[in-house]
Amino acid sequence: MLSYLHGFHAGNFADMHKHAALWLILEHLRKKKKPFCVIDTHAGSGWYDLGSEQAAKTGEWKDGYARVRDAANAPEMLQQFLTYVAGFDPVARGRDYGVRDGDDYHGPFYPGSPFIVRDMLRDDDELILMELHPREHETLHHRVKRDSRIHLHKRDGYEGVVGMMPPAIRRGLVLMDPSYDVKQDYQKATKAVREAWEKWPTATFMLWYPILEDGFDAELHASFGAIRASGGVLCAELATDQGGAKGRMRGTGLLVVNPPWQFDQQLGEIGDWVAKTCKLPGPANHQMRWLVPAV
C-alpha cells in the first residue's frame, strides 16, 4: 500500500493538468494580502530529477512536460507556470532545497506540489504537508526543514486532513493527490474530503484521480455531487477513449470544491491546449462540468 513512488511519473500529462490547476488557485489566493494555508495530504518527495533512473524507466515526462515546454502558444497562465518550472533548479539553490553533497543529479528538474506551493508562499502564509511513505517522508523532511512556514507530518493524509480541521489560518486550499494503489482509496478520499469540508466549508478542496479502464470515477462524481458547497463543485477531466489494457490510465481528473472565480474558464482554456499538446494513449479531449452549481 506504500509502494507508489511519484518519481516514475513526475511531469507526465496528469501533472501538467493538475499542477496548472494548482497554479491558478495559488495565484488567486495571492491576490489578497490576508494569509492563506495550503494542506497537501500526499506530498511525495518534493521535487524530481527527470534525468534520474526512475524517470528514465517510464519516460512519462517526455509525453507531458517536455511536449508543453517545447510547444508554442501556450495560454498565458500556463506559460507563467512553465516559465517557473523552466527556472526550477534545486542544485543551483543547494541546501535550501535539500540538495545533498555527493548525490548525482542530472536534470532537468520538476517541482512537485510541495515546492510549487512553497515558491508561491509569502512570509505569513503556511504549508502543511503529510507523507506516510518512509523514504519519501525522509527525503521531503530534508528538503523542507529549513523553511519555518512549512510543517511536515508523517501521517496518513486521509485521517490527518480531518483531524487538522479547521487550520488556524481560515483561508486556503486542501490538495489531495493519492496514489490509488488500492480501490479503497476512492472511498477514503471521498470520505476525507467531505468530512474536512464540513469543518472548513469556505476553503477550496482539490482532489486528483486517475481515469482508468476499470476505475471508480463515477462513484467519486456521485459522492462529490452531494457536497452542497456555496462555491459549487467542478469536475475537469483530460482523457482519451482509447485506454487499452485493464488498469491503464487513460486520463486524469480533478474535483474542485469552491473553485476560485473564473477558475473554470482559465482551466478550460489550459485543458483544451494541453489535450492537443500532450501525448495520451489516444486522441484526447478536455471536458468540464459543474456537479454542484455555485450559488
Side-chain angles (χ1 to χ4, degrees):
M1 293 177 64
L2 293 175
S3 61
Y4 179 88
L5 295 173
H6 193 63
F8 291 100
H9 312 287
N12 64 6
F13 70 85
D15 271 0
M16 292 299 97
H17 186 240
K18 171 180 59 186
H19 289 154
L22 174 61
W23 186 265
L24 293 176
I25 296 171
L26 293 171
E27 285 282 10
H28 173 81
L29 290 170
R30 285 169 53 91
K31 287 180 179 178
K32 294 183 179 180
K33 293 182 179 180
K34 192 174 181 180
F36 63 83
C37 173
V38 177
I39 300 176
D40 189 344
T41 65
H42 297 74
S45 60
W47 53 261
Y48 305 93
D49 183 353
L50 298 180
S52 69
E53 184 177 346
Q54 279 186 344
K57 189 170 184 178
T58 62
E60 290 184 15
W61 73 277
K62 295 179 181 178
D63 291 331
Y65 171 58
R67 285 179 175 264
V68 300
R69 177 194 62 189
D70 297 338
N73 302 317
E76 180 181 355
M77 291 298 292
L78 179 60
Q79 186 56 59
Q80 292 179 21
F81 172 66
L82 295 176
T83 299
Y84 159 71
V85 176
F88 184 82
D89 187 350
V91 172
R93 302 187 186 189
R95 293 183 63 194
D96 285 344
Y97 276 55
V99 173
R100 302 174 190 262
D101 293 338
D103 282 358
D104 187 18
Y105 299 104
H106 303 277
F109 299 95
Y110 187 82
S113 53
F115 273 79
I116 295 172
V117 176
R118 170 185 166 154
D119 288 340
M120 294 286 275
L121 292 178
R122 301 159 304 181
D123 290 345
D124 295 332
D125 300 327
E126 186 174 79
L127 172 59
I128 299 173
L129 302 172
M130 286 174 264
E131 178 54 54
L132 196 57
H133 191 289
R135 190 181 353 162
E136 298 286 87
H137 178 273
E138 180 186 0
T139 300
L140 184 59
H141 170 71
H142 184 76
R143 291 175 174 176
V144 304
K145 65 183 180 182
R146 294 175 179 84
D147 195 322
S148 61
R149 301 168 301 174
I150 301 177
H151 311 281
L152 173 61
H153 302 267
K154 190 177 183 181
R155 188 172 183 178
D156 174 75
Y158 301 125
E159 171 273 328
V161 71
V162 178
M164 290 181 180
M165 290 291 110
I169 298 175
R170 300 298 180 89
R171 178 172 172 262
L173 163 70
V174 172
L175 170 63
M176 184 171 288
D177 179 15
S179 65
Y180 299 96
D181 273 350
V182 293
K183 65 181 182 181
Q184 288 83 2
D185 283 347
Y186 291 89
Q187 290 78 25
K188 288 181 179 180
T190 300
K191 183 175 183 292
V193 170
R194 291 183 63 172
E195 291 182 2
W197 169 77
E198 288 174 358
K199 295 183 177 183
W200 196 17
T202 59
T204 298
F205 290 79
M206 185 167 77
L207 174 71
W208 174 83
Y209 59 94
I211 300 175
L212 309 173
E213 287 298 297
D214 53 347
F216 297 85
D217 40 290
E219 295 180 18
L220 287 177
H221 297 170
S223 296
F224 271 70
I227 299 176
R228 297 302 169 186
S230 61
V233 180
L234 182 69
C235 174
E237 295 188 330
L238 170 65
T240 175
D241 292 333
Q242 299 179 17
K246 183 178 180 181
R248 183 180 181 185
M249 191 167 77
R250 62 178 181 83
T252 177
L254 296 170
L255 290 165
V256 188
V257 180
N258 293 325
W261 183 63
Q262 294 187 331
F263 174 86
D264 53 342
Q265 296 98 314
Q266 293 172 331
L267 185 59
E269 181 184 2
I270 289 172
D272 289 342
W273 187 85
V274 170
K276 297 174 184 177
T277 306
C278 289
K279 182 180 179 182
L280 277 72
N285 63 82
H286 187 247
Q287 297 183 349
M288 302 181 67
R289 62 189 176 103
W290 288 93
L291 302 181
V292 178
V295 177

